[in-house]
Amino acid sequence: MTRIERTPLADQASDILMARIGSGEWQLGQKLPGETTLAVQLGVGRSTIREAIRQLAGRGMLATRQGSGVFVTALEAPEDWDAVLRRADIVAVIEARTAIETEAAALAASRRTASDLRLIRRALVGRRAHHSGVEAHVDADTAFHRSIVAAAHNPILLELFDGFTPRMRQAMIEMLRMRADDGGRADDDRHALLADAVAARDSARAAAESRTHLVDLAKTLG
């Protein structure tokens, strides 16, 4: 059973103070009103204000100076460290994908069969049809890229791709949730260009399309 959880008052107070700092109500280096004043303004107790200030101090936005008060030390919170680590992991995954898929695309262009091409085209249509849910979109995208790797007819590359898929899937889901955008029509068109290069047996263009797509993907996380 899913339960509704109440957000602690200190967390709510922290969010309000952070929003007020971000809006410019208090400038960098400016002293905040005292605990009593803030408690009245927010309708909470002084202990709640103290905890909210402690939270923002931990995030580098406020500093308490003994005997002087609380001062603004940053106008926005530094990026959450967990988010930094997730982003670094996603970039590492994309780099590994680039190593596998760029070579696979070049080989696919020179080795693909008519049957391979039908599977690639079918996977491309499936990818275009799945934009409503993050996980469904990632699975459809993975199926398309796997069809390219399979068309390379290199069992080691395919084994690497399949072994890597669970880690890749999670990273791509994280990426789309962070971006809140799956690239839309432009991303569909980029994948169509890769399929066209494989169909045309243009190994250099297929490799370039694959690499450019993945490099651009990494850049969106910068």
Side-chain angles (χ1 to χ4, degrees):
M1 180 185 297
T2 302
R3 299 180 62 187
I4 297 174
E5 306 220 352
R6 299 182 64 180
T7 305
L9 283 175
D11 292 352
Q12 296 180 47
S14 173
D15 289 342
I16 292 171
L17 292 177
M18 185 163 59
R20 291 172 68 177
I21 292 170
S23 71
E25 183 171 342
W26 299 303
Q27 301 301 313
L28 191 64
Q30 186 174 347
K31 181 180 176 180
L32 262 61
E35 288 180 2
T36 302
T37 300
L38 290 174
V40 171
Q41 290 177 356
L42 274 61
V44 296
R46 291 178 61 186
S47 61
T48 298
I49 293 298
R50 279 195 294 272
E51 174 59 20
I53 289 171
R54 188 192 65 77
Q55 289 183 19
L56 293 181
R59 300 182 70 177
M61 292 188 70
L62 298 176
T64 301
R65 298 174 190 166
Q66 195 65 32
S68 299
V70 178
F71 295 82
V72 177
T73 53
L75 298 180
E76 60 183 21
E79 187 170 22
D80 179 73
W81 184 240
D82 287 341
V84 172
L85 292 178
R86 287 198 303 273
R87 183 173 284 110
D89 186 62
I90 294 167
V91 170
V93 166
I94 293 173
E95 288 173 349
R97 285 189 61 183
T98 303
I100 296 169
E101 295 182 38
T102 299
E103 181 62 22
L107 291 174
S110 64
R111 297 176 180 176
R112 62 88 180 161
T113 65
S115 177
D116 291 328
L117 192 56
R118 283 194 295 272
L119 290 175
I120 290 169
R121 295 295 191 196
R122 189 179 306 156
L124 183 64
V125 171
R127 187 185 183 282
R128 284 174 169 157
H130 289 87
H131 282 286
S132 58
V134 170
E135 294 187 2
H137 177 72
V138 168
D139 290 341
D141 179 70
T142 301
F144 170 77
H145 287 284
R146 189 186 189 280
S147 72
I148 300 288
V149 178
H153 294 281
N154 181 309
I156 304 301
L157 283 176
L158 188 57
E159 184 178 336
L160 285 171
F161 185 90
D162 286 345
F164 187 52
T165 293
R167 177 78 173 274
M168 177 176 71
R169 182 179 188 273
Q170 188 56 43
M172 294 302 103
I173 288 171
E174 290 278 0
M175 184 200 70
L176 289 183
R177 285 175 176 162
M178 290 169 71
R179 290 172 57 188
D181 172 24
D182 63 13
R185 178 64 181 273
D187 196 48
D188 286 339
D189 291 345
R190 171 56 61 80
H191 285 74
L193 289 174
L194 172 56
D196 290 344
V198 172
R201 299 190 183 279
D202 189 334
S203 293
R205 183 157 63 92
E209 289 293 348
S210 179
R211 178 176 294 279
T212 299
H213 160 62
L214 291 167
V215 168
D216 286 349
L217 203 59
K219 285 179 180 176
T220 66
L221 295 164

